[in-house]
Amino acid sequence: MGVMVSHHLLAIIFGILGNAISFLVFLAPVPTFYRIYKNKSTESFQSLPYQVSLFSCMLWLYYALTKQDALLLITINSFGCVVETIYIAMFFTYATREKKISAMKLFFTMNVAFFSLILMVTHFAVKSPSLQVSVIGWICVAISVSVFAAPLMIVARVIKTKSVEFMPFTLSFFLTISAVMWFAYGLFLHDICIAIPNVVGFILGLVQMLLYGVYRNSGEKLDIEKKVNSSSEQQQLKTIVVITPLGVSEVHPVDVTVMEPVIPLSYIVHHEEKPSTGAGHGHVETAPS
């Protein structure tokens, strides 16, 4: 009995820590949406990361409510649903007509139709409460693990370019800590569906930090800048990967168009550029460290 009480207490402690870190993670895009509000334009930002994050929060919230003994999952994913809905609403408000139509199609396909399908199948087709929890949980695991393709692309990019320009160490470190918190929460709660995605997140975080240590002093930045300067107009992609609660990664891509006069890549990556009066400018989202 003492061991069970101890495990329950540890689950609460790690769940609270996970909530605290994930709360900050959900607020990471605030500078982006302040920029959107200020400029009254979504610029080159896309709604996909926020819609995927909302879908993930809805799934985990449904799982937590069905499971009935995961209050700390309910709190953070309820907050996530509210925040991501605000982000998406702002995107709809300031997006161009084409982007707005595309985003609305995605929203109704994924967050309305697909989620409703999961809801109906698991609620009406699966009669046993315990089986229902298992089915929803493994759906959450499948979605969470599949989204890790995005940060794996960043790892591949770092290895290919031998540059960590697109993979901030501080962000990788804290998101790895977040994965540890949620893994421990799932472990002490004896919930494999919570633990598994965060094992993947933890391993991926360690790989990112290891690569940072290997390539942080690399001299390949100069070669990348030469490749950028080799053409008068070239499109680069800066991607910030944010691992949200339970190992679901959120990707914030920003298209950076480089035109004459050419702006050095190192400047583009390390600074959020103000609108320039030159022929070209870059739009970069930075995540708070």
Side-chain angles (χ1 to χ4, degrees), residues 70-181:
L71 177 63
L72 293 172
L73 280 187
I74 295 174
T75 55
I76 191 59
N77 285 289
S78 296
F79 176 75
C81 285
V82 172
V83 171
E84 298 298 338
T85 299
I86 293 173
Y87 292 156
I88 295 169
M90 288 186 65
F91 188 92
F92 285 159
T93 301
Y94 297 112
T96 60
R97 185 175 182 276
E98 291 75 14
K99 277 190 175 184
K100 189 177 298 184
I101 292 174
S102 177
M104 285 184 174
K105 287 180 179 179
L106 177 62
F107 179 81
F108 283 106
T109 300
M110 180 169 60
N111 292 299
V112 177
F114 189 34
F115 181 77
S116 296
L117 178 63
I118 293 174
L119 191 67
M120 288 187 293
V121 169
T122 55
H123 185 74
F124 295 108
V126 183
K127 300 299 182 180
S128 171
S130 59
L131 181 59
Q132 189 179 65
V133 171
S134 297
V135 171
I136 298 170
W138 283 106
I139 290 175
C140 290
V141 170
I143 297 295
S144 299
V145 173
S146 65
V147 178
F148 275 115
L152 284 175
M153 291 172 61
I154 302 303
V155 169
R157 184 187 183 97
V158 170
I159 295 174
K160 181 178 180 180
T161 63
K162 295 181 173 59
S163 170
V164 294
E165 297 283 351
F166 300 93
M167 193 178 66
F169 175 82
T170 304
L171 188 60
S172 297
F173 173 77
F174 281 105
L175 295 174
T176 302
I177 297 300
S178 176
V180 172
M181 296 300 107

Side-chain angles (χ1 to χ4, degrees), residues 182-247:
W182 286 112
F183 168 75
Y185 176 75
L187 181 67
F188 290 117
L189 204 61
H190 306 291
D191 192 324
I192 192 173
C193 292
I194 297 175
I196 287 179
N198 289 288
V199 172
V200 181
F202 174 71
I203 294 173
L204 186 58
L206 288 182
V207 170
Q208 288 180 331
M209 289 190 289
L210 177 63
L211 289 175
Y212 187 92
V214 172
Y215 294 119
R216 65 191 178 103
N217 295 321
S218 175
E220 293 296 323
K221 296 179 183 178
L222 182 61
D223 293 336
I224 298 175
E225 291 182 6
K226 287 180 180 179
K227 291 179 181 178
V228 173
N229 294 330
S230 64
S231 62
S232 61
E233 182 175 350
Q234 182 174 354
Q235 195 173 58
Q236 294 290 333
L237 179 67
K238 176 177 181 182
T239 306
I240 295 178
V241 177
V242 177
I243 305 176
T244 59
L246 309 171

Side-chain angles (χ1 to χ4, degrees), residues 38 88 277 280:
K38 185 177 180 180
I88 295 169
T277 56

